[in-house]
Amino acid sequence: MDYQKIEDSVLKSAMDFFRQSAVNFFGINTKITAPAETELKDIKISTNIMDYTFYTEDGNYLHFEFQTTNKEEDIRRFLFYDASLHYKSNRKIKTIVVYSSDIENVKTYIDAGNIKYSIDAFYMNSINGDEKYDILKDKIENNEELTDEEILSLTFIPLMKGKLTRTERTLKSIELADKIESGEKKIKCLAMLYALLEKFGDEESKKRFKEVFNMTEIGKMILEDGMAKGMEKGMEKGRAEGKIQGKIEGKAELLLKLLTKKFKKMPEEYKKKIKELSDETLEIIGLEIFDMKDIKELEKYF
């Protein structure tokens, strides 16, 4: 099993899987050819990272956003994204906004004078998550192979309509995903759950996710494999200077890799300072990394 795939790039793995399954799940009549850039550089807005953007076979864009809130400024933000993307590439854009189960009847159209803008809303409260869970649970317990659409459906259960809280549904989905027979589909499912939780999870669900995920088969393997590789790299580099220093360098290298995955970019000055931190401080940052929301939070450790 390729455990390194998640350890190396869990969010990229999620996007690669999402592009192959989303058009069927959401009933979109198009074919995706490749993932497109999601970062709008030089855009002055509090959030300038789009959730998922893909090139389609007609040479245009398919843009997905996931929302657990219904704020008036959201659609204006999506307009800003799409206008910037169109200005940059001169391509048409179709935007699908997926709303969690507690949201319905949102504003989907803006009349800004000469600019007329609309999005397509997909409401997850139209899907019974409890029923989906029971169907998928039966298939998994009977060792039946899940289709890519069913894998995507399992990862979306926390957003669907259900009797339990979103946190409880997330944990049930993780626990069920861990029962999937070891292989590529299991990795894809956990990767998507991780990626979506980064987007919509509250602090409680993220904290409990870490606890549950670390107990899964893949979670344990990623932790052990990642630490072993990081320690091994540091040991190779630091043998001449001593084993203890080598271990610290290995931890620093691993931490830099994880931070880069989470925040996409790492200032060079931060990289230099992290390599100079003590073993104890590296351990603390490693425990806190999942709860960090901004790369600047690292400054308190320097």
Side-chain angles (χ1 to χ4, degrees):
M1 190 191 313
D2 188 8
Y3 294 103
Q4 190 65 29
K5 182 170 290 186
I6 296 180
E7 199 277 331
D8 281 345
S9 186
V10 67
L11 296 181
K12 181 181 182 299
S13 176
M15 175 173 280
D16 288 342
F17 173 59
F18 185 85
R19 68 173 174 174
Q20 299 172 26
S21 310
V23 290
N24 293 332
F25 184 90
F26 293 108
I28 302 169
N29 185 25
T30 190
K31 182 179 179 180
I32 288 172
T33 58
E37 63 273 25
T38 58
E39 181 178 3
L40 302 175
K41 296 181 179 179
D42 302 320
I43 301 300
K44 304 302 182 183
I45 191 171
S46 60
T47 303
N48 64 347
I49 302 295
M50 304 161 78
D51 282 352
Y52 293 93
T53 310
F54 302 97
Y55 295 113
T56 55
E57 61 182 343
D58 57 6
N60 294 316
Y61 285 114
L62 183 59
H63 169 205
F64 286 95
E65 291 288 335
F66 286 84
Q67 289 296 116
T68 58
T69 60
N70 179 20
K71 300 177 181 177
E72 186 176 345
E73 63 265 26
D74 284 337
I75 191 170
R76 297 201 301 271
R77 176 163 54 88
F78 303 148
L79 165 61
F80 192 82
Y81 287 162
D82 290 348
S84 301
L85 198 57
H86 177 73
Y87 173 78
K88 179 180 178 181
S89 62
N90 194 28
R91 299 172 186 259
K92 292 182 179 180
I93 304 152
K94 181 180 179 65
T95 297
I96 313 293
V97 182
V98 181
Y99 289 96
S100 59
S101 60
D102 50 343
I103 300 175
E104 56 185 341
N105 298 324
V106 302
K107 183 177 181 180
T108 60
Y109 175 77
I110 288 180
D111 183 350
N114 287 342
I115 300 174
K116 317 293 182 185
Y117 175 77
S118 64
I119 54 97
D120 292 339
F122 187 96
Y123 300 106
M124 280 294 187
N125 65 8
S126 65
I127 305 176
N128 189 315
D130 294 336
E131 291 181 359
K132 285 285 185 183
Y133 177 87
D134 290 339
I135 293 171
L136 295 172
K137 183 172 181 289
D138 287 341
K139 291 196 69 171
I140 291 171
E141 290 181 347
N142 289 322
N143 295 319
E144 296 180 38
E145 185 174 359
L146 301 183
T147 65
D148 283 349
E149 287 72 36
E150 287 173 328
I151 290 289
L152 198 61
S153 182
L154 175 55
T155 67
F156 284 157
I157 283 177
L159 297 177
M160 297 176 185
K161 178 175 62 178
K163 296 178 181 179
L164 301 176
T165 66
R166 186 180 301 150
T167 297
E168 291 170 327
R169 278 176 279 151
T170 301
L171 297 177
K172 283 175 66 71
S173 298
I174 297 166
E175 291 166 351
L176 184 57
D178 191 44
K179 295 179 181 178
I180 297 174
E181 185 176 351
S182 295
E184 189 73 11
K185 289 186 182 294
K186 184 171 187 173
I187 293 177
K188 288 177 178 179
C189 191
L190 288 170
M192 277 298 299
L193 281 165
Y194 176 92
L196 289 174
L197 191 65
E198 278 294 304
K199 168 66 180 179
F200 68 75
D202 54 27
E203 292 306 313
E204 180 187 359
S205 61
K206 287 183 179 181
K207 179 180 179 181
R208 292 182 63 188
F209 175 89
K210 286 189 292 181
E211 295 171 354
V212 173
F213 182 73
N214 287 340
M215 294 303 295
T216 65
E217 177 189 351
I218 290 180
K220 291 176 182 177
M221 290 295 292
I222 292 171
L223 182 62
E224 293 170 3
D225 189 53
M227 287 301 293
K229 282 181 168 56
M231 298 270 278
E232 180 181 350
K233 185 175 180 180
M235 288 290 288
E236 289 175 356
K237 185 178 179 180
R239 277 193 180 99
E241 301 174 4
K243 292 184 177 181
I244 296 178
Q245 183 61 31
K247 288 183 179 180
I248 294 174
E249 290 177 1
K251 287 183 181 179
E253 291 290 340
L254 177 60
L255 186 60
L256 284 171
K257 184 188 293 186
L258 295 173
L259 287 166
T260 301
K261 289 177 194 174
K262 183 175 180 67
F263 296 110
K264 312 303 180 188
K265 293 182 179 179
M266 277 283 291
E268 288 300 320
E269 60 186 80
Y270 283 17
K271 293 181 181 179
K272 182 179 179 181
K273 289 180 178 179
I274 284 175
K275 290 178 180 179
E276 296 172 349
L277 293 176
S278 67
D279 185 39
E280 181 180 0
T281 304
L282 292 172
E283 290 280 357
I284 293 172
I285 297 176
L287 293 172
E288 296 295 328
I289 188 172
F290 283 93
D291 297 321
M292 291 182 183
K293 297 181 179 179
D294 192 304
I295 189 70
K296 293 183 179 179
E297 292 180 42
L298 286 171
E299 292 179 358
K300 64 184 179 182
Y301 301 105
F302 298 154

